[in-house]
């Protein structure tokens, strides 16, 4: 009977009901294998509701009846409420393709393989809007696949999960930057320096991305640098700094975060933060981070993790060499400045009476800053 007590006679509803009964019967046998059986059952209900909203749910259902699929699903749906709310519940479109091919999750997709696949995908699309949709769909699918590899136990080595997520981020950032650069050069021409030579650019990762330490809920901290200001080659001529400003603007609009804080682009570590230019020239970078420049000690400390991930590789190496000159000078680490920043973090970000594994005194941030202090002091 229906919720109102009436007899169900509609053929489609009866088909759904029979399917649900069979699935529930099989699924409940698997619940003891789930990390959290009660959570898995609640999430399974949401999963079924979405399943029956799909046009091809009958085909999807036949997939779920395979012996290797339902046990994997029980593990996926029994993970923490955080992972369900932040990832799985938002990823129904990607859940079925992954579940259908659960065997492939045992294999890691390399950075080169992902980049070749994404570039081939984008090359087959002409419409700029459709390119961006395809780019973001690829991002969500590959991030979800990596999450599932972790949840199902295919990633066992410490740090490997972060490396795989970082590979996805680098692939997407690289292709997105190239996509926007090509569109802008078609309109404005090649950005050039004072002597009319091409002005190279580099996109450098910082923070968790720079350290290849991305997690389930990491943002992507980036800094865009270009070699020298001048003018573009046309047809529409603008300054090179304007060109790279537009490049960053288009790039940030191209990548969409499904949820705030998850693959969200963060440019706040650039010189002068939100008040500074979105794209930074090489000379401006040098002046800002020099020992007598305007950078705060914590900004200079953040450069320890600077790592080029897109743009011209040779120019990226030049930036790293400059970073080494500016940061690893042999001067002692500024302990007082670091302590002042830590006190401010604890005061503003840690709720009184609670322990924050990342930010409380003695937490992960203290470990990280201590290592960076040693690097800065002895790196020279």
């Amino acid at each position: 009977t229906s919720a109102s007590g009436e007899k169900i006679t509609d053929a489609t509803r009866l088909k759904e009901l029979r399917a649900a009964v069979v699935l529930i019967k099989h699924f409940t046998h698997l619940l003891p294998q789930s990390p959290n059986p009660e959570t898995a059952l609640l999430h399974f209900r949401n999963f079924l509701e979405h399943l029956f909203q799909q046009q091809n749910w009958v085909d999807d259902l036949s997939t779920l009846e395979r012996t290797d699929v339902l046990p994997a699903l029980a593990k996926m749906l029994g993970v923490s409420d955080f992972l369900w709310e932040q990832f799985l519940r938002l990823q129904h479109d990607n859940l079925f393709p992954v579940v259908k091919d659960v065997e492939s999750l045992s294999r890691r997709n390399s950075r080169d393989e992902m980049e070749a696949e994404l570039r081939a995908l984008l090359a087959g699309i002409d419409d700029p809007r459709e390119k961006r949709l395809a780019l973001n769909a690829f991002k969500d699918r590959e991030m979800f696949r990596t999450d599932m590899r972790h949840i199902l136990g295919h990633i066992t080595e410490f740090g490997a999960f972060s490396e795989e997520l970082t590979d996805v981020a680098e692939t997407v950032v690289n292709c997105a930057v190239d996509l926007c650069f090509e569109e802008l050069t078609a309109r404005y021409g090649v950005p050039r320096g004072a002597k009319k030579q091409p002005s190279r650019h580099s996109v450098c990762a910082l923070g968790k991305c720079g350290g290849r330490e991305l997690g389930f809920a990491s943002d992507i901290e980036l800094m865009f640098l270009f070699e020298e200001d001048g003018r573009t080659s046309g047809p529409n001529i603008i300054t090179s700094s304007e060109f790279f400003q537009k490049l960053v603007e288009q790039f940030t609009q191209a990548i969409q975060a499904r949820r705030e804080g998850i693959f969200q682009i963060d440019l706040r570590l650039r010189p002068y933060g939100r008040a500074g230019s979105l794209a930074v020239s090489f000379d401006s970078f040098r002046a800002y981070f020099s020992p007598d420049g305007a950078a705060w000690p914590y900004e200079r400390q953040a450069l320890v993790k600077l790592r080029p991930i897109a743009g011209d590789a040779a120019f990226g190496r030049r930036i790293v060499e400059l970073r080494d000159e500016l940061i690893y000078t042999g001067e002692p680490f500024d302990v007082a400045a670091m302590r002042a920043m830590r006190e401010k973090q604890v005061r503003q970000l840690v709720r009184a009476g609670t322990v924050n594994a990342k930010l409380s005194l003695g937490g992960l941030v203290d470990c990280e800053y201590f290592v960076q202090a040693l690097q800065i002091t002895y790196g020279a």
Side-chain angles (χ1 to χ4, degrees), residues 213-278:
E213 303 159 345
L214 291 179
F216 279 111
S218 298
D219 52 14
I220 312 296
E221 294 174 301
L222 302 175
M223 188 185 298
F224 284 71
L225 295 103
F226 62 95
E227 194 167 24
E228 189 180 10
D229 198 9
R231 302 180 75 79
T232 61
S233 59
N236 297 325
I237 298 175
I238 57 176
T239 65
S240 295
S241 60
E242 288 175 317
F243 178 95
F244 288 112
Q245 177 90 3
K246 291 179 182 294
L247 176 65
V248 182
E249 290 171 350
Q250 287 206 14
F251 169 82
T252 53
Q253 292 167 7
I255 295 181
Q256 301 297 318
R258 272 181 178 264
R259 192 95 169 192
E260 185 177 352
I262 301 170
F263 212 106
Q264 195 167 26
I265 303 302
D266 185 351
L267 305 173
R268 289 175 296 176
L269 287 177
R270 68 187 186 272
Y272 300 104
R274 288 193 175 96
S277 175
L278 289 174

Side-chain angles (χ1 to χ4, degrees), residues 107-118 138 171:
R107 179 182 173 277
R108 174 178 178 173
N109 288 341
S110 72
R111 162 80 191 273
D112 289 342
E113 289 173 327
M114 285 190 289
E115 185 149 339
E117 179 184 347
L118 180 53
F138 178 90
T171 298

